[in-house]
Amino acid sequence: MADKSRLSKEQRDALSRGRTGSSNSGLNDVLVPKKKQITASQPSASDAKQREVKSDPPKKEKYDRVIHYDPGTRTVPQQTDADRQTEKNKIPSGKEKTAKRSGGSQKHTEDNDSLLIRFIQGLRVEPAPYPECQYFKGRGRFDIPLFIVILVLAVFGLVMMSSASYAYSLFENRDSYDFMKQQLEGMIIGLILMVIVSFGDYTMLIMPIKHMLRHLGDVIREFFGKKKKKRNAPKNGKGINIAHLFFLVSIVLMAVTCVAGEEVADARRWITILGVRFQPSEIMKLALIIMLAFLIHRFCVDGKSVKGSFGRYLLVLGMCGALCAFQRHISAVVIVFVIFVVMMIVGGASKKGLFILGGLAAVAFAAVLLFYPSYLTVRFQGWFDPFGDMQNDTYQIGQSLITIGSGGLFGRGLGNSIQKYYYLPEAQNDFVFSILCEELGFIGGVTVILLFVLFAVRGYKVAKGARDQFGAFLALGITVHIVLQAFLNIGVACNAIPNTGISLPFFSYGRTALIIQLIEMGVLLSVSRSSET
């Protein structure tokens, strides 16, 4: 109890009222000042606000969430709508920025500089690393649907080529099945190589050779059930790889063919090495696809934009296109150019780059028109009027249309073609589709077209689900090559486009071409084993 001598009059009256049994509230109001009437169960507003501030997580700046690319998978983190709305709310208004500039300008400048540096670092364009090789245990399953489509195309093509070449093979080699036997040999070799390549890892094409040899040793040990050696994973780095060597070899073969190749119908497209006669342009197409996929992967940040020097791509295109033009292989020039344009568009080439490609195409067409005027004149004459000169220049395309039309809806029957008996030139090669329509009719022709459409759809899914950029563009280039060449051949046979002398994949005669195409299918199957299909 407080001493009464030290209490004021009001306090003594309140004390006396408390003794008479009244409430102690009056005593408490007098003895304790109002500003100190704070209990533990009733905190003040200022203390509660301080606690809330301390409990809140630190606010992030606008550019704290700079998107960085994963160097292993090259995938971009997706930003949700909630994240975008949160970042939008964090952006200060113009008045707030002005108010902040009024005080602490030096600190504000330093913060802006650090944010700008971090933002630039997040958008910096750096060469993409080499994808990581996967061992057998890390690979996916064999792509059965794609394999079935390829096998059907190969077997169907062998049967139709055997029927189309029956008369020509009998007259030239005294054996009506000689061409079929040679094609069968090529198909068997190609299928074996296709399976071997499909079980390999396509990323070895762009791995430096010194690292690739180590990887091969580990793969062989794992295949035989042995443990691989413990060592650090190969570092991503520069170095000569299979893509470089393969492209260089194809360019050398093309150059040698231009000088010392066999001349057939005023064109040097064939060369014989160690008793094997082949067209180096078939090898060059695959080498071009691998090199373009490597360059796009190497100098890209993501799968939608082509970065780096556009001159690198033009240099590759220029070498391949010029060598094909010197061989008077116009169909190869068209295929190379279309593959290049498609891969650049999908890779995200700028409008300026596409305008450059358009200008180059116009210059190339003008050069062909200038140096080979009769070649283009004959081709366009047969296109516009296929029956105008049936005794000379338009005989082949005119006979092709007659062959297709004579098949009707269901055809004459397998092996019952009349036009293959020296009425239609190159029946076993460029115009095998015409013989197919004559023997199997409209139904047979549509079936072949649908098979190539199924192949295109499956190839697109493989490219879309690839685990890295190199695999995606590799699958894209191979799919475009096969489908484009098929529809160009069908278009020539139907006179939808001028005659360019292009073969039908899997159907036209040619062992080397068939082997190269099946190797391409092996590469596509290898990509599909690691893709999400």
Side-chain angles (χ1 to χ4, degrees), residues 109-168:
T109 304
E110 293 177 357
D111 293 341
N112 283 343
D113 292 341
S114 62
L115 290 176
L116 181 61
I117 291 172
R118 283 187 293 176
F119 180 72
I120 294 175
Q121 289 176 351
L123 298 180
R124 183 176 296 170
V125 177
E126 296 180 355
Y130 293 98
E132 182 181 358
C133 286
Q134 292 182 344
Y135 297 93
F136 283 112
K137 295 180 180 179
R139 306 292 302 282
R141 295 182 178 180
F142 195 77
D143 195 341
I144 299 299
L146 179 60
F147 178 75
I148 291 176
V149 173
I150 295 170
L151 193 61
V152 170
L153 283 171
V155 174
F156 195 9
L158 177 65
V159 173
M160 292 311 306
M161 195 284 306
S162 174
S163 176
S165 63
Y166 179 87
Y168 185 80

Side-chain angles (χ1 to χ4, degrees), residues 11-27:
Q11 291 175 342
R12 287 195 297 271
D13 294 340
L15 184 61
S16 61
R17 288 195 300 269
R19 288 178 179 178
T20 59
S22 62
S23 175
N24 291 334
S25 61
L27 178 62

Side-chain angles (χ1 to χ4, degrees), residues 228-404:
K228 59 183 180 180
K229 292 183 178 180
K230 294 183 178 180
R231 56 182 172 223
N232 296 330
K235 295 182 179 179
N236 295 327
K238 298 179 180 179
I240 301 298
N241 52 39
I242 296 179
H244 293 129
L245 297 178
F246 190 38
F247 184 75
L248 179 62
V249 169
S250 66
I251 293 297
V252 171
L253 289 175
M254 290 288 291
V256 172
T257 305
C258 293
V259 178
E262 300 179 15
E263 186 172 353
V264 179
D266 298 331
R268 294 182 180 270
R269 305 178 184 178
W270 299 85
I271 189 172
T272 303
I273 299 178
L274 300 177
V276 180
R277 184 172 179 264
F278 63 95
Q279 290 188 10
S281 60
E282 299 294 333
I283 300 177
M284 185 267 300
K285 294 173 187 175
L286 178 58
L288 171 68
I289 293 171
I290 296 174
M291 180 55 67
L292 286 179
F294 167 68
L295 290 178
I296 294 174
H297 167 79
R298 184 65 180 142
F299 297 99
C300 276
V301 171
D302 56 37
K304 296 183 179 179
S305 57
V306 174
K307 303 294 182 182
S309 175
F310 194 71
R312 299 174 186 267
Y313 308 104
L314 293 180
L315 178 62
V316 173
L317 175 65
M319 287 190 294
C320 297
L323 290 172
C324 291
F326 282 131
Q327 295 180 7
R328 296 188 65 177
H329 201 344
I330 304 303
S331 60
V333 175
V334 174
I335 292 174
V336 165
F337 184 78
V338 174
I339 291 174
F340 182 86
V341 170
V342 171
M343 295 183 71
M344 290 295 102
I345 292 176
V346 176
S350 61
K351 294 182 179 179
K352 180 179 178 181
L354 296 178
F355 278 124
I356 293 175
L357 290 178
L360 290 176
V363 172
F365 182 78
V368 173
L369 187 62
L370 178 63
F371 291 103
Y372 307 109
S374 60
Y375 180 86
L376 290 181
T377 301
V378 172
R379 295 300 187 271
F380 280 98
Q381 180 183 355
W383 184 32
F384 292 130
D385 189 5
F387 300 102
D389 190 7
M390 286 291 292
Q391 299 300 323
N392 294 306
D393 295 334
T394 65
Y395 175 80
Q396 189 178 39
I397 189 63
Q399 288 294 334
S400 175
L401 295 177
I402 294 173
T403 304
I404 294 174

Side-chain angles (χ1 to χ4, degrees), residues 4-156:
K4 292 183 179 182
S5 61
R6 296 181 181 180
L7 298 177
S8 63
K9 183 178 179 181
E10 294 178 355
Q11 291 175 342
R12 287 195 297 271
D13 294 340
L15 184 61
S16 61
R17 288 195 300 269
R19 288 178 179 178
T20 59
S22 62
S23 175
N24 291 334
S25 61
L27 178 62
N28 293 334
D29 293 340
V30 176
L31 294 180
V32 182
K34 293 183 178 180
K35 63 180 181 180
K36 293 183 180 180
Q37 292 180 359
I38 301 175
T39 61
S41 60
Q42 296 179 356
S44 64
S46 60
D47 292 342
K49 186 174 182 180
Q50 290 179 0
R51 290 192 184 94
E52 291 176 1
V53 171
K54 291 181 180 179
S55 62
D56 289 341
K59 294 184 178 180
K60 296 182 180 180
E61 297 293 340
K62 175 184 177 182
Y63 298 112
D64 280 354
R65 198 180 181 276
V66 175
I67 296 177
H68 296 278
Y69 296 94
D70 186 2
T73 59
R74 314 302 300 164
T75 57
V76 184
Q78 298 296 327
Q79 194 176 20
T80 61
D81 296 337
D83 295 335
R84 296 190 186 95
Q85 186 65 26
T86 304
E87 292 185 1
K88 183 178 180 181
N89 296 334
K90 291 179 182 179
I91 299 176
S93 61
K95 294 182 180 180
E96 292 176 355
K97 291 180 180 179
T98 306
K100 288 182 180 180
R101 291 194 192 100
S102 60
S105 59
Q106 183 177 1
K107 183 178 180 180
H108 181 70
T109 304
E110 293 177 357
D111 293 341
N112 283 343
D113 292 341
S114 62
L115 290 176
L116 181 61
I117 291 172
R118 283 187 293 176
F119 180 72
I120 294 175
Q121 289 176 351
L123 298 180
R124 183 176 296 170
V125 177
E126 296 180 355
Y130 293 98
E132 182 181 358
C133 286
Q134 292 182 344
Y135 297 93
F136 283 112
K137 295 180 180 179
R139 306 292 302 282
R141 295 182 178 180
F142 195 77
D143 195 341
I144 299 299
L146 179 60
F147 178 75
I148 291 176
V149 173
I150 295 170
L151 193 61
V152 170
L153 283 171
V155 174
F156 195 9

